[in-house]
Amino acid sequence: MLPGRAGPIVMAFAVRVMRSAPLVLLALCFAGAASAQPPRPEAAVKEVQVKAAYLYKFAGFVDWPASAFSRPDSPLVIGVAGNDELAGQLEQVVVNRSVGGHPLAVRRLRRGDAPAGLHVLYVGSAGAEPGAWSELLAAARGLPLLTVGDAVDPANNMIRFIMVDQHLRFEVALGQVAPSGLKISARLLAAALRVTGAS
């Protein structure tokens, strides 16, 4: 269980995520509105909202090396590749918010863009051809950059979204985290469905 929280680990983490998200997200997490089947339009919208809330909250559970920021008040930049709908939702979530004294910003990435200057990178897989973003993920390897995605083959993703019993969950691959110099909070690891590469 997370410190100071009652109930299962996942419920506790979901409550933390939902505090800063619309009420519809709360309904999604507890009622399981998202589905592993091809989503209805409203379910797809809710899934995007939950992913945006998670991306925002993940940033609060990661420590970046000081070299990742040019100044103490530099923005913490979340890049989104391959999902403009998620990028739009995330832009709404992070308005006037900060993490560790860093204001949050969202950058939409296109093919050929470099990951330089990002702190979190989400790579979408819906509708993407295999390997569409492999060059971007390869360029991100070794940078102080948290990579998140939902591809079946995690490639270089540190965190992978996964649908389980109609609920959006996530896995963490510590083997992918190690070269980045990032430190992921034990509370985030405790909330993960699965953690691989732990010693």
Side-chain angles (χ1 to χ4, degrees):
M1 290 182 9
L2 298 182
R5 298 287 185 193
I9 290 171
V10 174
M11 287 289 258
F13 187 71
V15 169
R16 292 183 62 87
V17 170
M18 293 310 116
R19 281 186 178 156
S20 56
L23 287 177
V24 69
L25 298 181
L26 194 61
L28 172 61
C29 280
F30 293 105
S35 171
Q37 302 301 319
R40 296 163 303 164
E42 64 271 19
V45 168
K46 291 176 183 178
E47 182 179 328
V48 165
Q49 291 173 327
V50 173
K51 284 182 178 179
Y54 268 120
L55 288 171
Y56 158 60
K57 294 304 282 185
F58 285 159
F61 288 91
V62 176
D63 287 331
W64 280 265
S67 60
F69 299 94
S70 58
R71 300 185 317 274
D73 61 348
S74 293
L76 190 155
V77 183
I78 304 174
V80 178
N83 193 327
D84 282 340
E85 185 182 6
L86 177 57
Q89 181 65 38
L90 187 57
E91 286 166 350
Q92 295 177 44
V93 170
V94 305
V95 169
N96 297 323
R97 296 186 185 277
S98 63
V99 169
H102 299 282
L104 291 166
V106 177
R107 184 193 308 168
R108 300 177 190 224
L109 286 93
R110 303 288 180 245
R111 292 281 187 87
D113 287 349
L118 299 177
H119 301 93
V120 179
L121 169 63
Y122 170 84
V123 176
S125 63
E129 58 200 60
W133 298 103
S134 57
E135 187 175 319
L136 178 62
L137 285 167
R141 184 145 179 92
L143 296 178
L145 171 57
L146 182 73
T147 55
V148 184
D150 42 30
V152 174
D153 176 5
N156 293 318
N157 285 330
M158 300 171 189
I159 297 178
R160 179 170 81 100
F161 288 126
I162 184 170
M163 200 66 80
V164 177
D165 295 330
Q166 301 181 356
H167 294 277
L168 188 67
R169 303 287 304 278
F170 63 92
E171 302 174 328
V172 179
L174 289 179
Q176 300 291 354
V177 176
S180 69
L182 301 179
K183 294 180 181 177
I184 295 182
S185 164
R187 291 190 293 167
L188 182 92
L189 298 179
L193 175 69
R194 185 178 299 108
V195 177
T196 61
S199 56

